[in-house]
Amino acid sequence: MAAKCIMCGKCLEVCPLINATNREELGPRAKADLYSMLREDEFLLTGKDAAKLANFCLGCHRCKNACSQGVDVPGMVAQLRAAHPDFRSWLWKTWLTNAKTLWSSGSSAAKLIPKKFQPEKFGPFLKMLAGLEGGPGLTPFVEIESFPEMYRGEKVLLFAGCTANYVQGRWLMTALRLLDGLGIEVLPGDFQCCGGGLKGAGFADEATQMAAHNLDVWRKAGKPMVVTFCASCLSALDGCKGFVNEAEQLEWAECLQPLSSLLQDVSFTVSEGGPKKVGYHRPCHVDSEDADYQLLKNILNNRLTIQTQKECCGFGGVMRLGAPEVADQANRQCWDKLGGADVVLSGCSACTAQLSATAPETANVGHWLEILGKPNDD
């Protein structure tokens, strides 16, 4: 795979780590070269060295999307992580595979640990855990005036994601209320995690098992539309494997829809007392159309004054454990761009948690679902 690199530099232009640190050795091309060398001589580096170098990847996939040759550097890094597991990767796997049991209690506990008692290496991770539940939540400042008729009678599966299911129930309730307003019937479906965080951390087998389960849920429901409101979940679902043929894979891709794409024709009214400067953080995994941004632009108009482009929130999955000081550089650059916003919104659960944990006192952070109040006729 690395041999296909034509040294065009497109990956360097989009890499958030290079953008934040100006260190080209942390970039995609360097990782591709490392991967190629290790394939030729697996004893070139010690397992510890290889694992350390594999930590320096945010898993944003921007390099993969920009590469004209199809070089999948995040996939290479995931294979390095799989070949050289350590305590951090075990902790990350445990956290993701036991979300139902650990996330709510873990987030609450993380808030109670004073900073001076937090282990130095895991302080940033604990801060992120505390951000999972955010603060008291944003006060809604957008009212729903009316719903269009176009979706009435539709049946969908709702893929809420782990964060909404286990620590942010208000997101789930708002999403269900919106779908009800659209006249859409939400079918029962016992989805598991999207598997994106596990796959990036080197646990491909576990991610594959989750994908197989989720595809089976979809098939048994009659292959309806699958709606989600997390950009990273949508990306992971779009990249899952295990289809019976190419036709089914295309069918699955067509069924995946961000919730925001169904709301483009809903009529909204912004409260006069709402924030005047709203920022939008564009998740790394969002597609080029970015339905979340289009929806917010339609609703907020000139109140949406700031948005990120190349900047990454610095969440980084397992990198948050392996190289937190570098991930923090990306996070600081993100806040440099978002500075001045009264409220910052995002459509990714991980980004929202990371930005909530690192927000300055002058800014409130939340998922865009949090700004939506109940319909006027409620």
Side-chain angles (χ1 to χ4, degrees), residues 269-291:
T269 299
V270 182
S271 169
E272 287 296 325
K276 302 303 181 184
K277 293 184 178 181
V278 180
Y280 172 70
H281 172 64
R282 186 176 189 271
C284 293
H285 294 110
V286 78
D287 64 26
S288 58
E289 295 181 1
D290 197 354

Side-chain angles (χ1 to χ4, degrees), residues 26 116 169 213 218 224 306 310 319 341 369:
L26 299 183
K116 63 180 179 179
H213 173 88
W218 172 65
I306 304 169
K310 293 183 178 181
M319 182 179 168
L369 282 168

Side-chain angles (χ1 to χ4, degrees), residues 92-165:
W92 186 249
K93 175 185 174 182
T94 301
W95 177 250
L96 291 180
T97 55
N98 295 276
K100 186 175 183 179
T101 305
L102 297 178
W103 281 27
S104 180
S105 58
S107 179
S108 299
K111 292 180 180 180
L112 300 176
I113 302 176
K115 186 176 181 180
K116 63 180 179 179
F117 294 125
Q118 294 178 4
E120 183 177 351
K121 291 185 177 181
F122 295 111
F125 181 65
L126 291 172
K127 196 172 184 181
M128 184 276 296
L129 297 189
L132 272 176
E133 289 184 335
L138 301 179
T139 300
F141 58 89
V142 176
E143 294 180 348
I144 302 168
E145 294 290 341
S146 63
F147 290 98
E149 298 292 323
M150 64 182 72
Y151 295 110
R152 297 204 173 273
E154 289 261 9
K155 296 182 179 181
V156 306
L157 286 168
L158 178 61
F159 192 96
C162 297
T163 302
N165 279 325

Side-chain angles (χ1 to χ4, degrees), residues 47-321:
K48 182 178 180 180
D49 289 335
K52 182 177 180 180
L53 288 169
N55 280 329
F56 293 100
C57 179
L58 290 163
C60 67
H61 290 261
R62 289 183 175 182
C63 57
K64 178 184 176 182
N65 296 333
C67 181
S68 60
Q69 305 303 302
V71 179
D72 182 8
V73 173
M76 296 174 181
V77 172
Q79 290 184 46
L80 284 176
R81 288 169 171 165
H84 304 285
D86 59 12
F87 171 73
R88 294 177 181 85
S89 59
W90 172 85
L91 180 61
W92 186 249
K93 175 185 174 182
T94 301
W95 177 250
L96 291 180
T97 55
N98 295 276
K100 186 175 183 179
T101 305
L102 297 178
W103 281 27
S104 180
S105 58
S107 179
S108 299
K111 292 180 180 180
L112 300 176
I113 302 176
K115 186 176 181 180
K116 63 180 179 179
F117 294 125
Q118 294 178 4
E120 183 177 351
K121 291 185 177 181
F122 295 111
F125 181 65
L126 291 172
K127 196 172 184 181
M128 184 276 296
L129 297 189
L132 272 176
E133 289 184 335
L138 301 179
T139 300
F141 58 89
V142 176
E143 294 180 348
I144 302 168
E145 294 290 341
S146 63
F147 290 98
E149 298 292 323
M150 64 182 72
Y151 295 110
R152 297 204 173 273
E154 289 261 9
K155 296 182 179 181
V156 306
L157 286 168
L158 178 61
F159 192 96
C162 297
T163 302
N165 279 325
Y166 306 131
V167 291
Q168 290 285 8
R170 53 190 164 172
W171 299 356
L172 177 56
M173 292 300 102
T174 300
L176 289 171
R177 191 173 71 241
L178 290 168
L179 290 170
D180 182 63
L182 289 167
I184 294 175
E185 179 184 350
V186 178
L187 301 172
D190 183 25
F191 283 125
Q192 293 183 358
C193 173
C194 68
L198 285 166
K199 185 177 179 181
F203 299 103
D205 290 344
E206 288 81 356
T208 298
Q209 292 172 10
M210 290 176 171
H213 173 88
N214 292 334
L215 288 173
D216 194 46
V217 170
W218 172 65
R219 294 184 186 110
K220 289 179 178 178
K223 298 185 177 180
M225 185 189 305
V226 179
V227 176
T228 185
F229 45 82
C230 174
S232 291
C233 285
L234 183 64
S235 176
L237 292 172
D238 189 44
C240 73
K241 302 186 184 302
F243 302 96
V244 296
N245 51 40
E246 186 176 347
E248 187 183 55
Q249 184 175 3
L250 291 173
E251 191 177 6
W252 168 255
E254 290 175 356
C255 286
L256 294 175
Q257 293 293 332
L259 175 60
S260 52
S261 70
L262 308 184
L263 304 175
Q264 301 295 331
D265 293 313
V266 174
S267 178
F268 297 97
T269 299
V270 182
S271 169
E272 287 296 325
K276 302 303 181 184
K277 293 184 178 181
V278 180
Y280 172 70
H281 172 64
R282 186 176 189 271
C284 293
H285 294 110
V286 78
D287 64 26
S288 58
E289 295 181 1
D290 197 354
D292 291 352
Y293 174 75
Q294 293 301 325
L295 175 66
L296 290 174
K297 189 64 178 176
N298 291 341
I299 296 173
L300 301 174
N301 200 0
N302 58 6
R303 292 177 187 246
L304 191 60
T305 59
I306 304 169
Q307 65 166 313
T308 56
Q309 292 292 344
K310 293 183 178 181
E311 297 79 12
C312 175
C313 71
F315 177 78
V318 73
M319 182 179 168
R320 174 49 52 187
L321 293 174

